[in-house]
Every structure is written in C-alpha cells, then in structure tokens.
Amino acid sequence: MEATQVVIAGGGPVGLWLAAELRLNNISVTVLEVRTEIDQRSKALTVHPRGVEVLASRGIHQRFLDESLRISNGHFANLSNRLDFSVLDTPFPYTLFIPQARTEALFEEYARGLGATVRRGHRVTGFTEHADSVTVQVEGPQGPYEIEAEYIAGCDGTRSTVREAGGIDFPGTPSTCLGWLGDVLLDNPPGPGFSRFNERGGLMVVPLPDKQWRVVGTSPDSVTAEWPGDLTMDELRQKAIDIAGDDFGMREPSWLSRFGNATRLATHYRRGRVVLAGDAAHQHFPTGGVGMNVGFQDAFNLGWKLAATIDGWAPDGLLDTYHSDRYPVGEQLMEHSRAQTYLFHAFTPEGLALRDLLSRMVPESRQFSDFLAGRLTALDVAYPSTDPTAHPVTGTRAPDLPLTGSQSSLFGALRADSYLLLDLTADGVLADRAQERVTVQGGAPDRTRDAWQDVRAALIRPDGHVAWAWTEEDDTKLGAQVDAVVTTVLGR
C-alpha cells in the first residue's frame, strides 16, 4: 500500500495551494483530481487584494501581476457606483483579472515544483479513519487502490466525497433563484466595465482571453426554484436584448450555464483526521468573485497548522483553531452572498429603489464603502484573540511593513514553516531571539497606522496574521515576554 502524510481530494486552486503550503513545510502530499485536465470554463475570474497579498507572502505574485489585468475597483451586487480599491491599505489596491483555468495552471506548476504529487484522472471514493491514520480508497485509470495517510483534506467541491464520508453535515438553504452566463464571441462588444440593471434584469459583459466575452446576469424569470432546462444561445441573446437593448453580435458560445443560490456551510472544518477547505466547506451564489479567494485563504490558514501538527511542534489544539478561525469567515460569506443575491434579483420598484439608495451611499459614506470593500477583498479578516488584554492588532492581518536587513518588507519575510518576530525597538534588542521556527526581522515603528503606532514587537504567524504584540518600553520585560510567547506558540 502506498503511503503519504496528507492526501488532498481535489486538484483545483484550493487543493493545489494547500499542497504547496504543506510542501513548504516538507510534508509529503498526494493530490487526487478526477479531471484529466484543467477545465477551461473558468468559474472564477478574479484574485482580490488579500489574495494577491497571500501570493506575495510566498514570493509568487509577480507571475500573476505580469499576466493579469489590474482593476482598481469592485462591485457589490452590481450597484451602479463601484467600490474604490485604490484607497485600500495594501500594496496591491486592485483586483487581478485572470481566469481560474490560468490560476489553476500556475498553482499546479508551483505545487509540482515544490515536490507535490498531483494525479489527474484519480478519484477518492471513500476512506477509513483509524486512531493515527487514514486509509484512502481511490479509483484510478488502472483500477482501485489505497493510500495510507495521516490526514485527508477535502478540497473536492460542494459535492465533496470527503465531507460526506467524514459524516460532516452541510446545512443551509436550497436554491430559490438562478443566474446565467455565456462565454461567447461578440462582433460589437460594449465599452469597458459594461453593466446594466433595470426592471428587466441585470447584465454584465466582461472580456476573456482568446477574444471571448462573458455575458452574465439575472432576470425576473430566473427567480424560481424550478429548473428551466439548459441555457440556450437564443435565450441568452434575448436576455441581453431585453436588458441592454443589444445582443452585441454574440455568436459561437464555448460555454452556456445556469447557476443557483443554494447556500450551505459545513458544521465542522476539521473533524478528527478530516479537514475541509474551499467549496467543500461553503457553497454560495457567486457574488463579487470571492469564492476561489476565500477557498485558497482557507488553505493558507490550514497548511501551516496541519504541517505543525504532523511535525509535532504544534501546541495542543492548534489544528482546531482552523475551524474557529475560518468558520466565522464562512458565516460572513453566507451573509454577504445572500444579501447580494437579493439585490441581484431586486427588479420590483421597491427593489430598484433599495439598489439606488445603497448605490448612492457608496460614494457618500466612506465608512459604508470601506466596510463593503473590506469584506469583498478580505482585507478585514481578523481572528479575534481569546485574551481580553491582547493588543488590538492581535489576530489582524499584518500590513506590509518596511523592514531592515535582507528583506525589504514584511510579506517578503514571511515563511510557511516559521513565525516572524518583528523587532521595532530602537536598539534591536530581539536580534538574538532567532531560533528554529522563529526568524527575527528589524524595522522602525509604524507611525502611519493608528493601531500600530505603539507596537514595539510583534510575532507574526506563517499566514501573516498577528499572534502577539508588545508596547511597553521596558526591554528586560520584553525579552522575557518574547521567550514566554514563543514557548507557547511552539508548544515547548
């Protein structure tokens, strides 16, 4: 029987990113994907700002920047006024427009380059969990076989075999309305950023590679729980004419699809030797292009924790914090996708009035706009500390602070297999605190961000969130506190 430390069911962006994170920790991993090749029908088209930060934290962002269109705004439910990303506190104040198929190809190249085993045409059919291992049943091109692993990760979509075999419930609400899309050629495409919303429906038209365009929208006849049959080209053309008064010369569809708003959230992101990430853990209407981003950010949170648990340096309960960190993010995802779904189908006079009101609030209320942008981009994700005396930055994502030494900024200094100790004291008193699983980087206090002005030292997790921060001036106390905190986080 084959053996590996982690089996990942699902070789989409989420499973591949998790594989890469594990390999950066020298964990052996086998990814099993039922598709024999990457699906060119890209469901996702965007990488949001926090997603780009994640890529930068592993030093692979430039490839994506080179191949993507940068869009400095985003939309909430296709409201007329868009959210301004250029004002966000990030070195990447924009969305990258890049088809999921290309993202997946780049992730696969990255994971394989780190030594991950990726097998296409192999399907996980079930598993048996033991006290200290999991026996995974697989159907491959040459027939069935088994792999012995320490953990199994379900990154295998909304119909996850791993979730079902693990007995993890997936409660929620069924689909009550539909969206539709077509990837087509256009003889007379509209201008950049084209969108319409009125009593006849909502429509967006966006460019794709190979001179294709995505025509996507909602309409009053789509507010139904009944399946109306597969979308046809004639239907798509008529919907565009009804909503926008033009079919833009659409022809030669490569993909026509409908999608529903079923909304579900797994009750456990981790149970025993089973972990879930991405669509296996959460299902929702594809509003705002956030689904893939939330998924590989799940994997970003999970990877180092799973590796630390396998390697034996994790403190008790570290792997359980994957659920306590990411489940609330899933709950927020459900809330925002449901709210946007309602607005996407608000075709009545009352619904249109609500849309107009919310749209006017975007430019008129910076607080409202920043709140929506923070949720959409995931820059506001924080993992609250259980310590009531913790500094306010604890649990938040660390900004890309300038550093001294070999690394010029924080994102470039992050590593998947160790914590980063920031020494922001004037005399660099923490230089000798480097050790296995902890690296030290010096820098100046950050006077530009209110929450960071008094921070003199901070311990940053491998996923870029703050584990601990210190403000007192007494350096002797600082050294002792660092030693205590490091002992706690390293489980020794």
Side-chain angles (χ1 to χ4, degrees), residues 66 84 100 132 183 185 190 203 214 218 229 243 248 254-255 269 277 328 338 359 397 418 427-428 444 456:
D66 291 343
D84 183 6
Q100 179 177 327
D132 57 359
D183 290 349
L185 296 180
L203 184 75
R214 176 158 295 175
T218 56
I243 299 168
F248 310 109
S254 61
W255 187 27
Y269 279 32
R338 281 177 167 138
S359 184
R397 97 186 209 290
S418 64
D427 299 324
R456 302 183 68 244

Side-chain angles (χ1 to χ4, degrees), residues 317-389:
L318 177 66
L319 190 53
D320 287 330
T321 67
Y322 169 55
H323 174 88
S324 60
D325 277 357
R326 296 303 295 177
Y327 184 83
V329 175
E331 289 183 308
Q332 291 181 357
L333 176 64
M334 302 299 101
E335 178 188 56
H336 270 238
S337 64
R338 281 177 167 138
Q340 290 188 72
T341 300
Y342 180 84
L343 292 171
F344 269 123
H345 294 86
F347 307 117
T348 64
E350 293 79 10
L352 294 173
L354 175 61
R355 288 181 57 86
D356 287 344
L357 175 63
L358 294 175
S359 184
R360 290 198 302 272
M361 289 179 65
V362 169
E364 292 177 6
S365 172
R366 177 68 182 271
Q367 184 177 10
F368 179 70
S369 179
D370 287 353
F371 172 79
L372 294 181
R375 287 291 176 89
L376 185 64
T377 61
L379 293 174
D380 72 344
V381 170
Y383 307 129
S385 172
T386 57
D387 179 3
T389 66

Side-chain angles (χ1 to χ4, degrees), residues 224-262:
T224 176
E226 300 296 326
W227 183 254
D230 293 340
L231 183 69
T232 68
M233 185 62 174
D234 286 342
E235 184 181 358
L236 179 66
R237 181 179 290 110
Q238 189 59 52
K239 289 181 182 299
I241 293 172
D242 289 344
I243 299 168
D246 195 343
D247 70 355
F248 310 109
M250 66 175 67
R251 57 184 173 85
E252 297 185 35
S254 61
W255 187 27
L256 297 171
S257 179
R258 300 187 202 272
F259 48 91
N261 70 316

Side-chain angles (χ1 to χ4, degrees), residues 170-333:
F170 200 41
T173 53
S175 182
T176 57
C177 56
L178 301 167
W180 37 262
L181 69 80
D183 290 349
V184 298
L185 296 180
L186 298 181
D187 290 331
N188 304 299
F194 180 87
S195 67
R196 289 287 186 275
F197 200 100
N198 50 49
E199 69 278 7
R200 296 178 298 278
L203 184 75
M204 289 184 285
V205 182
V206 295
L208 299 174
D210 300 323
K211 299 181 179 180
Q212 290 196 334
W213 296 77
R214 176 158 295 175
V215 179
V216 58
T218 56
S219 49
D221 62 350
S222 298
V223 184
T224 176
E226 300 296 326
W227 183 254
D230 293 340
L231 183 69
T232 68
M233 185 62 174
D234 286 342
E235 184 181 358
L236 179 66
R237 181 179 290 110
Q238 189 59 52
K239 289 181 182 299
I241 293 172
D242 289 344
I243 299 168
D246 195 343
D247 70 355
F248 310 109
M250 66 175 67
R251 57 184 173 85
E252 297 185 35
S254 61
W255 187 27
L256 297 171
S257 179
R258 300 187 202 272
F259 48 91
N261 70 316
T263 305
R264 305 184 188 282
L265 184 64
T267 54
H268 298 84
Y269 279 32
R270 183 264 172 124
R271 173 178 281 177
R273 294 188 172 273
V274 180
V275 291
L276 304 176
D279 291 348
H282 35 74
Q283 179 182 11
H284 58 97
F285 197 68
T287 55
V290 300
M292 182 185 70
N293 290 262
V294 175
F296 77 82
Q297 288 162 37
D298 287 343
F300 195 48
N301 183 287
L302 171 62
W304 67 277
K305 294 177 179 178
L306 184 55
T309 301
I310 292 171
D311 274 349
W313 62 268
D316 291 342
L318 177 66
L319 190 53
D320 287 330
T321 67
Y322 169 55
H323 174 88
S324 60
D325 277 357
R326 296 303 295 177
Y327 184 83
V329 175
E331 289 183 308
Q332 291 181 357
L333 176 64

Side-chain angles (χ1 to χ4, degrees), residues 106-124:
L106 291 172
F107 278 12
E108 182 169 346
E109 178 183 323
Y110 175 53
R112 286 183 184 273
L114 292 170
T117 297
V118 181
R119 295 178 182 167
R120 292 192 171 274
H122 294 249
R123 179 172 62 91
V124 172

